[in-house]
Every structure is written in structure tokens, then in C-alpha cells.
Amino acid sequence: HQVQGMESSQSQSTMNDRTLRRGDFALLLLVCAMLYGVALLVPRVFTTHEAIHCQNVSEMSRSGEWLIPTYGGRPWLERPPGPHWLTLAGAIFTGGVGVDWAMRIGSMAVSALAVLIFAWAVAGCLGRNLGLMSGVILATMREFAAYSVGPEADIFLASAVTICGSLFMRLHFANGGDGRTSFFGTRPPAMLIFFALLGLTNAMKGPLFGMIFVGLPIVAFFLWNRDGFGVRRFSWAWGWLAMLVLGAAWPLYAYYRFPDI
């Protein structure tokens, strides 16, 4: 009984070592707040891309046209509306639309979410310490940190791609998978979220752009490792359907409204 108790204790300890604690998430949020909060205290002038994005958001707020961004009242079809919605939400719940620091909140929040999910995914695969370290590394990467305080589409796409990749890591590597491979069967809820978010990357910058960043490394990984089990797990009708419906929704709507898009 003592041996069984020790084995159970060791097993529980190993499991805990692959799980981030509440304090770990709080620490990562504090790191993000310290890094990105400087932009709220010492704001810089918006770049051209950021200024255009903020103009899109301001016009969306005034006109109530939530699906087709505009610039000077004309359709602005260079970007889908996803980043505009997130920027607008951050501004509404803080300083208000038109306040420059408030227009940065959406970017900062989505970036911090990507850091937390990436750290959680790595911890589930490689352990708590490496998870924490990976979260801090991502948060402090120069390009990621620079775009995290700027209101424009790129950081929303980068965060969505990062979260998708993190979910794939956690689903495929943590706990060895669950063995479910039926094409029309069930999968963990995280896999449905993975496919749904993969489709929603089309609403972040443009059709197929984010999907390629996520899909190509995954396909290459499966082919390189001849991982037939992984292919069967991610060959799931309901996940593909969710990805197709969510991914096609805005491009088809925009094409219906403006065929020359």
C-alpha cells in the first residue's frame, strides 16, 4: 500500500508539473502588463496602418456598419472586420472610441491571451517550467511586443495563428491523444475550438492567409513523421464543417455585397 501510495503521489506530482497554476497565469499577465502598459503611459504616434485601422473602427462605430469596414465612407475591403470588432470592443469598455490609448486595448488583450494559451499548451506537453518560460519568451519577442501595442490587423492574425498552433500542440502531444479517430465521431471540445478558430482566421486578415500559416506546418509534420494516427484524429467531419462555415461566411458575404472584391 505504501508503494502504491508513493506511485500515486509521484503520478500526481508529474501531472501537476504539466499544469500551470493560477499564480503562473497571474505572473504571465503581470509580465504582459509591464511590457505593454508602457504604451499607455508614454503613447507613440500611430503609424499609417494603425491610423487607417482606427479610422475604420471609428466609422464602424458611428455608422453601425459592422460587416464591411469603410474609410471615408467608402468600402475598405483590404481587411475583414474581425480586428475592427476586437479593437472597438477594447475601446468601448475602456476609454472610448477615438481615445488613442483605448484603441490599443484590444491588441494588448488578444496578445496576452495568446501568451497564456501558448504557455498552457507548452506546459501540457513539456512541463510547467518550460511552459512559463515559453510564455515569457513569446511575450518579449521584439515583433510580437511591438505589434501588441498597435491597433492594426497583423497582431490579431498573429495571435489567432499562435492560439491555433497551441491548441494543436496540446491536442496532439499532451496526454498522448484520446484515441478517437472516427470521421463522424466525437472529439474533445478543444478540437472543435481549434477548427472553429482556424476558420475564423479568415476574418482576421484575408481568405486562406491564416489557414496557410497554421495548416502547412501541421501537414508537413504529419507527412515527415508518417503519422497516420494524427491524420485520422484531425480528419473530423464536424471540425472541417465548422472551419468551412466560419471561414467562408465573411468572404462570401463581402462578395455578395461587392462582387469586384
Side-chain angles (χ1 to χ4, degrees), residues 16 28 35 83 88 95-96 108 158 161 167 226 236 248:
N16 288 338
L28 289 171
L35 283 169
L88 182 59
M108 295 167 62
V161 167
L167 290 174
R226 301 178 182 178
W236 183 38

Side-chain angles (χ1 to χ4, degrees), residues 20 24-25 28-29 31-33 35-36 86 105-123 130-141 143-145 147-149 153-170 197 201 204 214:
L20 290 184
D24 299 333
F25 288 113
L28 289 171
L29 284 175
V31 170
C32 291
L35 283 169
Y36 311 146
L86 294 169
I105 297 296
S107 302
M108 295 167 62
V110 170
S111 301
L113 178 63
V115 168
L116 295 181
I117 293 178
F118 181 61
W120 163 80
V122 175
L130 283 176
L132 271 172
M133 186 186 302
S134 298
V136 172
I137 289 172
L138 175 61
T140 55
M141 289 177 68
E143 291 288 320
F144 191 86
Y147 279 92
S148 292
V149 296
D154 290 322
I155 190 59
F156 295 105
L157 176 68
S159 296
V161 167
T162 300
I163 293 171
C164 277
S166 300
L167 290 174
F168 170 78
M169 269 200 314
R170 184 81 184 210
L197 186 57
T201 59
M204 295 298 169
V214 178

Side-chain angles (χ1 to χ4, degrees), residues 52-53 56 68-71 73-80 84 250:
I52 291 174
H53 179 78
N56 296 150
I68 302 294
T70 60
Y71 185 67
R74 297 181 297 274
W76 179 262
L77 298 174
E78 185 176 329
R79 294 284 187 272
H84 302 89
W250 186 82

Side-chain angles (χ1 to χ4, degrees), residues 67-68 77 249-261:
L67 296 176
I68 302 294
L77 298 174
W250 186 82
L252 288 178
Y253 174 78
Y255 178 74
Y256 171 77
R257 289 274 306 271
F258 302 97
D260 59 343
I261 187 174

